[in-house]
Amino acid sequence: MKRILEELSTLRGGRPRILLCDDQPINIRLVNALLKGDYEIFMATSGLQAIELSERVTPDLILMDVNMPGLNGYDTCARLKQNTLTLGIPVIFLTGLKSEEDEVKAFEVGGVDFISKPINGTVLKARVLTHLTLTLQSDFYRNIAVTDSLTGLFNRRKFDSELAEKWELCKRSGQAMSLLLIDIDHFKQYNDHYGHQAGDHCLAEVAHTIRSNFHRSYDCVARYGGEEFACILPMTGREQAIRQAQEVCHSVARLHLPHARSDTSAWVSLSIGVATMIAPDHNASPVALLALADKNLYAAKANGRAQVFAAELPLFNDAA
């Protein structure tokens, strides 16, 4: 068991996270005492608190009581499965209910297991370990399918799905979403001068530096194609997106990667197009957001490169 936990921690990049949700503190203390040595534990005493914590800390597994005042465990699980940020988190129900109907209900709302109280510590630990292993291994192999092998960023396929999902998230909450399209300046000349092996190293270095500027779990950084990258920033207004884009430019400039064939700078530099829209606005859509970011990237290049360009849509309409 210890070896498996070590492997899980390696896959997770730290101890797996478990959220305990029960309206009775004594039950939380009991389960916490059983698991705290091997996992990072978070605690909630209501369904609404469990939803809020799940969105904020993204646990790897939730242990959920069924009978809670207000939002019960079944309804809480159903809401988690309707939320793109939490739908993939497995839920194990812990309950004194023992009927076949209750067990069927647990699976119907999206639960992965059903453990009856009083809790047997050995059984609980084994079930938790089993479901964490299945989930984290599944995540690992799924990430391989959506990851660019050279840069380690999400690939174009993942970008397309994330753009649609994050747009719907912002649409429901009525918040702004921003998109950055990023291009390495004069990259063809870089490849021609230094060779493709050096070009691949440059792409990897730049990709890592771009990614290091984004710390929220729901931001998406992807290799858009060739020497282009894209950053999806949900719940991010225009001014914040511009600041982040400028910091990305500065971070790559600080790498001091020589570029002898650049007409813009002695070092590798970036051009970035920034677009921001509020999802409920008329005519706003993921396609329109992407088109605006692309126009702004083109303008950044036309204006001399090594810069951030973030004109709003009316400017382009007026110019047309």
Side-chain angles (χ1 to χ4, degrees):
M1 180 174 177
K2 182 178 180 181
R3 180 182 60 80
I4 296 175
L5 284 168
E6 289 174 351
E7 291 177 355
L8 287 178
S9 295
T10 300
L11 283 174
R12 179 64 172 78
R15 290 199 302 171
R17 295 178 172 185
I18 296 179
L19 172 61
L20 311 179
C21 181
D22 196 308
D23 64 310
Q24 299 296 322
I26 189 172
N27 292 333
I28 289 181
R29 288 197 292 270
L30 172 63
V31 177
N32 180 54
L34 290 168
L35 301 177
K36 66 180 181 180
D38 298 315
Y39 306 103
E40 186 176 0
I41 305 296
F42 298 86
M43 305 176 193
T45 55
S46 71
L48 290 176
Q49 188 181 15
I51 293 171
E52 187 275 329
L53 265 175
S54 296
E55 291 178 343
R56 183 156 52 87
V57 305
T58 317
D60 299 296
L61 179 71
I62 299 173
L63 299 177
M64 179 87 68
D65 184 30
V66 172
N67 290 323
M68 296 185 292
L71 202 63
N72 66 34
Y74 294 144
D75 292 338
T76 302
C77 183
R79 289 199 188 184
L80 289 168
K81 299 306 173 183
Q82 294 167 3
N83 187 333
T84 56
L85 294 177
T86 58
L87 63 84
I89 304 172
V91 176
I92 297 177
F93 287 105
L94 306 178
T95 177
L97 302 174
K98 300 180 185 296
S99 72
E100 183 178 335
E101 291 78 11
D102 290 315
E103 190 166 349
V104 169
K105 177 70 171 177
F107 291 114
E108 285 180 344
V109 298
V112 297
D113 211 339
F114 185 97
I115 301 176
S116 296
K117 296 177 181 178
I119 294 169
N120 179 303
T122 301
V123 171
L124 176 66
K125 287 182 176 181
R127 298 276 187 89
V128 165
L129 185 60
T130 295
H131 286 291
L132 279 173
T133 301
L134 290 171
T135 300
L136 293 178
Q137 286 181 343
S138 175
D139 288 346
F140 175 75
Y141 290 114
R142 186 165 55 248
N143 284 338
I144 290 177
V146 298
T147 301
D148 175 66
S149 59
L150 175 63
T151 64
L153 301 180
F154 287 135
N155 59 23
R156 176 63 181 272
R157 178 182 179 185
K158 178 64 172 176
F159 167 82
D160 290 339
S161 65
E162 285 285 311
L163 184 64
E165 289 177 12
K166 295 299 168 43
W167 182 266
E168 289 302 314
L169 173 67
C170 290
K171 187 175 182 179
R172 287 199 301 271
S173 61
Q175 298 193 62
M177 187 164 107
S178 293
L179 176 65
L180 277 54
L181 283 185
I182 304 169
D183 187 78
I184 300 178
D185 295 325
H186 307 293
F187 189 69
K188 182 181 184 302
Q189 291 89 327
Y190 187 96
N191 265 340
D192 291 344
H193 183 72
Y194 295 101
H196 287 281
Q197 186 173 357
D200 286 350
H201 177 74
C202 175
L203 283 170
E205 284 284 300
V206 170
H208 175 76
T209 302
I210 293 172
R211 185 68 188 90
S212 68
N213 281 275
F214 300 95
H215 309 291
R216 303 182 304 181
S217 61
Y218 46 83
D219 291 336
C220 171
V221 182
R223 186 179 181 188
Y224 191 66
E227 68 274 18
E228 287 192 348
F229 304 92
C231 306
I232 302 170
L233 308 178
M235 294 169 281
T236 302
R238 181 171 178 269
E239 295 306 316
Q240 182 183 348
I242 292 172
R243 286 195 298 271
Q244 289 191 264
Q246 290 170 337
E247 184 52 40
V248 168
C249 277
H250 296 329
S251 296
V252 170
R254 287 194 292 268
L255 291 175
H256 281 178
L257 297 174
H259 192 343
R261 295 287 298 278
S262 173
D263 296 330
T264 303
S265 169
W267 316 104
V268 168
S269 61
L270 302 179
S271 296
I272 302 181
V274 178
T276 302
M277 291 183 178
I278 298 178
D281 283 356
H282 183 62
N283 291 330
S285 70
V287 173
L289 183 71
L290 184 58
L292 178 58
D294 190 54
K295 285 184 177 181
N296 282 337
L297 174 58
Y298 181 84
K301 294 178 182 179
N303 288 347
R305 302 180 186 260
Q307 62 182 271
V308 173
F309 198 89
E312 297 181 82
L313 194 58
L315 182 149
F316 288 111
N317 290 340
D318 293 343

